[in-house]
Amino acid sequence: MTPDSRNAAKSVLSSDLRINGDIFSDGAVEILGKVEGNITARALMIGVDGTLNGMVTADAVEVKGTLEGRVACVNLTLRAHARVTADVIYQSVVIEDGAALQGRFTLDKP
């Protein structure tokens, strides 16, 4: 993370947007549409109707929608509507009642 990345704006990918390709951001990314590709960002939030199929590298990941692929993060939060099929490397995790997940979860000790 660069010194200016703490001031980076949040990028919102709206519900009518479909992206095929990789996304890099020094700030936060919010997915309300569909993304097929890899995401590297400070933070990632997938909305209830959002879908991501790819690899994620971020400090914080919050999933309310659908995520398929691989995740490497510090903090992972899976909300009640989350549907996750992924291999995950994390340092802390919160899983709300109702979240559905399948995959391998590996604790990355700091």
Side-chain angles (χ1 to χ4, degrees):
M1 180 167 28
T2 64
D4 292 331
S5 66
R6 284 176 245 120
N7 298 324
K10 178 166 106 174
S11 301
V12 179
L13 308 177
S14 68
S15 60
D16 64 336
L17 190 60
R18 296 182 188 278
I19 294 179
N20 287 320
D22 298 339
I23 297 171
F24 300 90
S25 175
D26 285 333
V29 174
E30 182 175 1
I31 298 173
L32 303 175
K34 183 171 182 169
V35 175
E36 297 264 346
N38 303 322
I39 295 184
T40 302
R42 183 177 44 82
L44 171 68
M45 198 282 280
I46 301 173
V48 173
D49 295 323
T51 302
L52 171 64
N53 188 346
M55 292 178 25
V56 175
T57 304
D59 289 340
V61 176
E62 179 179 0
V63 182
K64 297 177 182 178
T66 303
L67 170 62
E68 295 183 14
R70 292 180 176 213
V71 178
C73 65
V74 177
N75 302 306
L76 175 65
T77 303
L78 303 179
R79 299 294 180 194
H81 296 288
R83 300 293 173 255
V84 176
T85 304
D87 289 337
V88 180
I89 298 173
Y90 68 95
Q91 289 183 13
S92 73
V93 64
V94 173
I95 303 172
E96 290 184 353
D97 187 33
L101 54 115
Q102 180 177 341
R104 189 174 332 167
F105 282 63
T106 305
L107 177 62
D108 181 23
K109 298 177 185 170

